[in-house]
């Protein structure tokens, strides 16, 4: 008995907030047990696009009905008249409910007008409330925004002091991936807002029908992350990729002038309730074999070192090693024609010459073009170090082992973006933007600022240049611009047949890469910018399940360019 008495005293007086190894708060759990609560807003920060449109939640007036209404008499007819619905619809809604519910019509939450909201609240009916309520909707940018999960231990690890003083609950959701994870210290809930009432053991109201509103006395939360993406464009890109049949890959679009992210889509998408399934990988920040897109690096180095002449001809009937015939016979081509038609032989010959002069030259030029570094926005924010807009971003690699120097086969594979070459689509987009701007290197920004609930700014994310100042010259950038334009402009260019009639002239480079040990599977890239003469957009599309004859990347590219052209003209008309 003494043991039981001491144990009970310990539980009731000492361990009330942290009983068992799971650190269960008995006080908090007992309140939950005797409370019926309806959460109006979780208190966690949210994300909007550049125009202020929500990307993953909606927040609008809704009708909340409490379950005790079925046991009493209330002016149901007045509410039904305001909503223009039948009495039976309202009664059916509460009849089978054990908890507070949102009134629905046709299995969809009824959105109230401001007039309906005012009229219902003016009736002052206990258990009938018209309030702004948060609703999680389809996250149209899940790979960028990321997901939230619950983990008591992790909450305590990240926010020990706040948990101790009670400003943050161990039950708070925390960021698991994407910007939800990066910005978690600014987003984590400081307390939710709710309607609640106490019940007895039979779930009957303890104090009549007294429903109370509770919310943290904090005018600053929840916060709002203003991203740089465009919601309408994001939706269109997603649909365009699916219409083209692309199921594994994605697209990234950035502003050619500001380097702000406009859209990022990775397919397949994933269920946010299962954040670690196969679709959770963000392909746009994952390093893959780029194929002939890497020829841009070889071209930049060859231009700088004066290895080419406009009159030089390359025998593009030879294979990339120069020891046999190429199945795709192109004849003798100039350097520009070789780039436009993606002749492997030309670039493997140039790469071998370059590496003989400087074994690290391809790695150095990949660095100059921003291909091997992380290119997403990274910086210190208050006491937080290296806050990243793309926390899952991988670095690129262009590895040439010592034993590969002098091995024409190894250098040839590297020259055409195979062997050990790995780059992310985001880095490729950044490279094209660098070229389009004449060599100026910038970080890719995905958010412009974080705002408090009262509209004041918590954090601004300034535009930043890449730390590595080593870059290509304006002359080299100009020559690369000419080469990229020829891929679409020249009649035999690899993208001419698909993109020649585009409303915006396009400059870019295609690439097909073998992948896997058997090298039977391929991926296809198209990286470019437009309009070619006055760059406004940079877009990279990657199909990681490419099949010959079905170039899904170019089909989607054509669709999205046409959409942006119409969008720009519509905007000009409004202005």
């Amino acid at each position: 008995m003494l043991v039981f008495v001491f144990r009970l005293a310990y539980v009731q007086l000492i361990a009330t907030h942290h009983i068992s190894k799971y650190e269960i708060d008995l006080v908090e759990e007992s309140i939950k047990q005797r409370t019926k609560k309806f959460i109006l807003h979780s208190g966690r920060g949210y994300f909007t696009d550049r125009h202020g449109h929500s990307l993953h939640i909606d927040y609008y007036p809704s009708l909340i009905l409490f379950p005790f209404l079925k046991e009493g008499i209330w002016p149901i007819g007045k509410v039904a008249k305001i909503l223009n619905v039948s009495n039976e619809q309202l009664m059916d809604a509460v009849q089978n409910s054990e908890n507070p519910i949102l009134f629905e019509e046709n299995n969809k939450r009824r959105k109230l007008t401001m007039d309906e909201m005012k009229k219902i609240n003016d009736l002052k009916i206990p258990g009938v409330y018209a309030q702004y309520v948060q609703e999680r909707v389809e996250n149209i940018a899940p790979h960028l925004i990321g997901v939230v999960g619950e983990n008591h231990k992790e909450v305590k690890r990240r926010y020990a002091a706040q948990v101790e003083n009670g400003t943050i609950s161990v039950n708070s959701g925390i960021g698991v991936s994407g910007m939800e994870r990066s910005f978690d210290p600014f987003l984590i809930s400081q307390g939710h807002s709710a309607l609640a009432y106490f019940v007895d053991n039979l779930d009957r109201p303890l104090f009549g029908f007294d429903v109370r509103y509770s919310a943290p006395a904090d005018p600053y939360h929840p916060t709002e992350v203003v991203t740089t993406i465009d919601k309408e464009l994001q939706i269109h890109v997603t649909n365009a990729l699916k219409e083209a049949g692309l199921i594994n890959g994605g697209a990234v679009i950035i502003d050619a002038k500001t380097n702000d992210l406009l859209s990022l889509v990775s397919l397949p998408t994933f269920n946010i309730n299962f954040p670690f399934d196969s679709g959770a990988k963000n392909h746009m920040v994952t390093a893959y074999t780029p194929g002939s897109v890497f020829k841009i690096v070889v071209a930049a180095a060859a231009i700088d070192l004066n290895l080419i002449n406009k009159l030089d001809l390359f025998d593009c009937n030879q294979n990339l090693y120069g020891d046999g015939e190429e199945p795709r016979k192109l004849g003798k081509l100039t350097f520009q024609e070789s780039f436009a038609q993606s002749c492997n032989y030309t670039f493997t010959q140039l790469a071998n010459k370059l590496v003989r002069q400087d074994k690290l030259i391809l790695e150095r030029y990949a660095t100059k073009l921003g291909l091997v570094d992380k290119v997403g926005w990274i910086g210190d924010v208050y006491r937080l170090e290296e806050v990243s807009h793309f926390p899952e971003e991988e670095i690129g690699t262009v590895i040439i082992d010592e034993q590969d120097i002098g091995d024409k086969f190894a250098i040839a594979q590297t020259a055409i973006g195979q062997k050990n070459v790995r780059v992310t689509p985001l880095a490729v987009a950044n490279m094209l933007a660098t070229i389009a701007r004449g060599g100026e290197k910038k970080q890719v920004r995905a958010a412009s600022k974080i705002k408090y609930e009262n509209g004041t700014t918590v954090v601004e994310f300034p535009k930043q240049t890449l730390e590595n100042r080593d870059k290509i010259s304006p002359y080299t950038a100009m020559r690369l611009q000419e080469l990229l334009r020829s891929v679409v402009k020249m009649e035999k260019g690899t993208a001419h047949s698909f993109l020649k009639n585009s409303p915006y002239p396009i400059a870019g480079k295609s690439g097909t890469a073998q992948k896997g040990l058997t090298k039977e599977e391929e991926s296809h890239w198209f990286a470019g910018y437009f309009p070619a003469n006055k760059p406004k957009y940079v877009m990279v599309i990657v199909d990681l399940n490419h099949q010959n004859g079905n170039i899904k990347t170019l089909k989607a590219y054509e669709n999205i360019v046409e959409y942006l052209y119409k969008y720009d003209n519509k905007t000009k008309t409004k202005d």
Side-chain angles (χ1 to χ4, degrees):
M1 285 298 293
L2 282 173
V3 171
F4 282 118
V5 169
F6 278 117
R7 176 62 176 170
L8 185 60
Y10 172 77
V11 170
Q12 292 287 334
L13 303 176
I14 299 172
T16 53
H17 294 287
H18 50 79
I19 188 69
S20 86
K21 66 179 181 179
Y22 299 108
E23 298 286 319
I24 295 171
D25 190 323
L26 293 177
V27 175
E28 189 174 318
E29 293 302 316
S30 67
I31 293 173
K32 283 183 184 178
Q33 192 176 37
R34 65 176 187 267
T35 305
K36 289 288 184 181
K37 184 182 290 187
F38 186 88
I39 306 296
L40 301 173
H41 196 293
S42 69
R44 184 170 179 84
Y46 56 97
F47 293 80
T48 60
D49 79 346
R50 56 175 44 206
H51 304 298
H53 302 134
S54 180
L55 296 174
H56 62 133
I57 65 168
D58 208 346
Y59 197 56
Y60 52 83
S62 306
L63 178 62
I64 306 163
L65 301 172
F66 279 71
F68 57 69
L69 289 169
K70 60 189 173 188
E71 298 178 3
I73 298 173
W74 54 287
I76 189 171
K78 292 183 179 180
V79 179
K81 185 177 180 181
I82 292 170
L83 297 177
N84 195 25
V85 298
S86 67
N87 292 8
E88 288 73 20
Q89 283 178 277
L90 288 173
M91 278 307 300
D92 288 345
V94 297
Q95 200 62 45
N96 300 316
S97 64
E98 298 297 327
N99 295 295
I101 61 164
L102 290 168
F103 177 63
E104 295 183 340
E105 279 188 295
N106 302 319
N107 297 319
K108 190 175 181 181
R109 191 206 295 188
R110 169 69 181 269
K111 291 185 179 181
L112 305 182
T113 65
M114 296 301 291
D115 184 54
E116 289 172 336
M117 183 179 181
K118 183 178 183 307
K119 286 179 178 178
I120 289 171
N121 287 334
D122 284 347
L123 293 174
K124 297 182 179 180
I125 304 170
V128 179
Y129 304 95
Q131 294 284 337
Y132 273 91
V133 180
Q134 173 183 307
E135 179 186 37
R136 288 214 166 262
V137 295
E138 182 186 4
N139 187 336
I140 66 163
H143 295 90
L144 176 67
I145 293 173
V147 295
V148 176
E150 286 191 13
N151 186 321
H152 294 184
K153 286 186 178 179
E154 185 63 14
V155 172
K156 287 185 175 182
R157 188 189 70 79
R158 293 187 193 179
Y159 307 105
Q162 293 96 317
V163 170
E164 187 69 27
N165 63 32
T167 55
I168 289 178
S169 167
V170 291
N171 297 313
S172 297
I174 54 173
V176 174
S177 64
M179 289 197 288
E180 289 276 19
R181 189 176 92 191
S182 291
F183 300 160
D184 196 60
F186 301 101
L187 298 171
I188 192 163
S189 175
Q190 306 294 314
H192 57 245
S193 56
L195 295 174
Y197 67 99
F198 293 104
V199 295
D200 61 17
N201 65 327
L202 297 177
D203 279 349
R204 294 175 303 199
L206 270 179
F207 308 113
F209 298 135
D210 184 22
V211 175
R212 298 184 179 185
Y213 172 79
S214 64
D218 182 356
Y220 303 109
H221 293 87
T223 53
E224 173 189 348
V225 177
V226 182
T227 70
T228 60
I229 72 170
D230 184 293
K231 185 175 183 177
E232 287 186 18
L233 176 59
Q234 178 78 4
I235 293 171
H236 183 85
V237 171
T238 303
N239 292 336
L241 294 177
K242 290 178 179 178
E243 286 171 16
L246 199 150
I247 58 173
N248 192 20
V252 57
I253 305 175
I254 62 179
D255 187 302
K257 292 181 180 178
T258 65
N259 232 43
D260 283 349
L261 182 75
L262 299 178
S263 175
L264 185 150
V265 177
S266 180
L267 296 175
T269 190
F270 66 101
N271 185 334
I272 61 172
N273 297 315
F274 301 97
F276 301 110
D277 70 8
S278 58
K281 177 180 279 191
N282 185 349
H283 292 307
M284 297 302 97
V285 295
T286 303
Y288 293 106
T289 307
S292 292
V293 170
F294 191 74
K295 289 174 183 174
I296 297 171
V297 175
V298 180
I303 291 167
D304 265 6
L305 272 66
N306 295 316
L307 291 190
I308 51 175
N309 186 297
K310 285 189 176 182
L311 300 178
D312 288 342
L313 293 176
F314 298 86
D315 186 1
C316 291
N317 286 335
Q318 294 193 58
N319 65 18
L320 71 162
Y321 305 120
D323 59 2
E325 287 192 340
E326 176 73 16
R328 187 173 65 106
K329 295 181 177 62
L330 300 173
K332 292 188 181 295
L333 301 178
T334 64
F335 175 64
Q336 184 167 2
E337 290 169 337
S338 296
F339 188 91
Q341 298 181 48
S342 206
C343 167
N344 288 335
Y345 175 76
T346 301
F347 289 89
T348 59
Q349 292 299 301
L350 290 171
N352 272 288
K353 285 183 182 179
L354 288 165
V355 172
R356 282 196 291 270
Q357 293 184 35
D358 178 357
K359 64 182 181 181
L360 297 177
I361 192 164
L362 296 182
E363 291 169 279
R364 286 200 299 106
Y365 270 82
T367 302
K368 283 188 174 190
L369 288 163
L371 272 186
V372 295
D373 298 316
K374 288 187 176 182
V375 300
W377 197 99
I378 298 178
D380 296 343
V381 180
Y382 296 131
R383 296 181 182 178
L384 303 175
E385 295 181 352
E386 296 191 343
V387 174
S388 172
H389 288 193
F390 305 92
E392 288 83 26
E393 183 184 5
E394 297 179 357
I395 60 171
T397 57
V398 185
I399 302 171
I400 300 177
D401 296 327
E402 285 292 334
Q403 60 265 33
D404 291 340
I405 305 301
D407 183 344
K408 70 175 183 180
F409 299 101
I411 302 304
Q413 287 290 326
T414 303
I416 62 169
Q418 292 282 167
K419 206 169 189 310
N420 297 319
V421 180
R422 301 288 185 275
V423 296
T424 67
L426 183 69
V428 171
N430 189 63
M431 174 178 69
L432 269 291
T434 298
I435 294 168
R437 289 192 298 267
E440 184 186 9
K441 293 163 65 177
K442 296 180 179 180
Q443 290 183 345
V444 181
R445 191 175 65 153
S448 58
K449 59 186 171 182
I450 301 176
K451 297 194 301 184
Y452 282 129
E453 176 72 0
N454 62 8
T456 59
T457 298
V458 192
V459 174
E460 283 201 54
F461 301 108
K463 298 179 179 69
Q464 295 184 155
T465 57
L466 282 170
E467 287 185 6
N468 190 323
R469 300 295 178 90
D470 194 14
K471 58 185 181 181
I472 59 172
S473 67
Y475 172 76
T476 302
M478 181 191 71
R479 291 290 305 277
L480 290 174
Q481 290 168 7
E482 293 173 358
L483 294 176
L484 292 165
R485 182 70 184 109
S486 68
V487 172
V488 178
K489 192 174 182 180
M490 280 189 173
E491 190 174 342
K492 294 183 179 180
T494 55
H496 177 76
S497 59
F498 270 97
L499 303 177
K500 63 181 178 181
N501 296 320
S502 170
Y504 274 141
I506 299 168
K509 184 74 186 79
S510 59
T512 303
Q514 295 175 327
K515 59 179 186 173
L517 295 175
T518 62
K519 296 187 176 180
E520 292 177 358
E521 297 180 332
E522 291 183 333
S523 59
H524 190 271
W525 301 56
F526 190 81
Y529 59 83
F530 49 93
N533 52 347
K534 196 174 181 181
K536 188 171 183 179
Y537 303 102
V538 177
M539 178 162 62
V540 175
I541 300 182
V542 183
D543 177 12
L544 295 171
N545 286 348
H546 172 63
Q547 296 174 341
N548 282 329
N550 186 13
I551 308 179
K552 291 170 274 189
T553 52
L554 294 179
K555 290 178 183 176
Y557 215 97
E558 184 180 33
N559 180 321
I560 297 166
V561 173
E562 187 174 337
Y563 170 84
L564 285 169
Y565 177 79
K566 290 178 180 176
Y567 176 84
D568 289 344
N569 279 311
K570 190 192 302 182
T571 304
K572 286 179 183 177
T573 304
K574 287 181 180 178
D575 292 343

